[in-house]
Amino acid sequence: MVSELSPTPGARSVSADNEASRPPMPVKMVIAGGFGVGKTTTVGAISEIEPLTTEASITSVAAGIDDLSHTPEKMTTTVAMDFGCVTLDPTLKLYLFGTPGQERFGFMWDDLVEGALGGLVIVDTRRLDDCYAAVDYFEHREIPFAVAVNAFDGKVEHDLNDVRWALDVGEHVPLTVFDARERGSVRDALLVVLEHALATAEK
């Protein structure tokens, strides 16, 4: 005899049907950092759509302002934003907004971070000072963020503890190493931000 509380064999619950038909929850995340650290590459590596980029050629005037010593092959720069998205699982979809790296385009940041759950600040350990503005921005606006050291040429110049000290970020800010060219590595870095933002919201 089948208990009245037992589900009918082969039948699906209403909640399971609702779960299957429910669209993934949209979450906005910002990718920030200095000039040429890999923000556009990061978005492009993981986006499931063709990323929207606002790249412009680096002119001779801009070359005189932006430091190209560590990125001599860089011919373009983001002047507004990068945009992409990725579905992490059936319940969650990230919308990624990459900021321009130069401080002269900083006036766009307030619009780009509106409604963002958190941010990923990408740094190049060869020129940490380029990311100070991004770190300060998220700290002053109390937006949860993580710092991701881009492993250029597969290596990192400094220990993560030294990076934390140089950036003067607290122990509560996650630091990780990733490769902006590798989809799986980018995904892991974004999950660090997501977990940190959710943990912060629960406090």
Side-chain angles (χ1 to χ4, degrees):
M1 179 175 175
V2 179
S3 168
E4 293 181 3
L5 297 179
S6 301
T8 303
R12 296 186 60 184
S13 68
V14 174
S15 60
D17 288 332
N18 291 340
E19 189 71 26
S21 61
R22 185 180 303 161
M25 176 171 49
V27 172
K28 182 178 182 180
M29 192 171 292
V30 176
I31 312 296
F35 171 75
V37 297
K39 299 181 297 296
T40 300
T41 301
T42 296
V43 174
I46 197 168
S47 179
E48 61 195 19
I49 64 170
E50 185 68 25
L52 168 65
T53 61
T54 53
E55 295 279 288
S57 297
I58 297 176
T59 64
S60 58
V61 174
I65 300 174
D66 301 319
D67 182 8
L68 301 177
S69 58
H70 291 287
T71 56
E73 73 288 348
K74 188 171 178 61
M75 304 301 294
T76 61
T77 184
T78 300
V79 295
M81 70 170 186
D82 298 310
F83 172 77
C85 62
V86 57
T87 303
L88 292 183
D89 63 42
T91 66
L92 185 65
K93 186 169 187 175
L94 294 185
Y95 290 88
L96 308 174
F97 291 78
T99 68
Q102 301 92 325
E103 289 190 44
R104 62 182 181 275
F105 296 125
F107 63 91
M108 303 180 197
W109 281 41
D110 287 343
D111 290 333
L112 290 178
V113 303
E114 182 75 27
L117 181 69
L120 183 70
V121 177
I122 303 175
V123 304
D124 178 353
T125 55
R126 300 170 297 181
R127 45 196 178 95
L128 284 175
D129 54 334
D130 286 356
C131 74
Y132 290 157
V135 170
D136 288 344
Y137 185 92
F138 286 112
E139 286 184 337
H140 290 160
R141 284 159 181 76
E142 299 183 343
I143 299 173
F145 71 97
V147 174
V149 177
N150 194 357
F152 286 89
D153 300 321
K155 61 182 181 180
V156 176
E157 297 290 331
H158 301 284
D159 180 79
L160 285 185
N161 290 328
D162 294 335
V163 173
R164 183 182 297 279
W165 177 85
L167 296 179
D168 192 25
V169 293
E171 292 293 334
H172 66 284
V173 177
L175 262 70
T176 187
V177 176
F178 85 126
D179 188 330
R181 302 164 300 181
E182 298 292 334
R183 179 181 176 86
S185 187
V186 172
R187 182 180 184 276
D188 290 344
L190 294 176
L191 286 175
V192 170
V193 180
L194 184 62
E195 292 171 0
H196 176 54
L198 293 176
T200 300
E202 292 173 354
K203 292 181 179 179

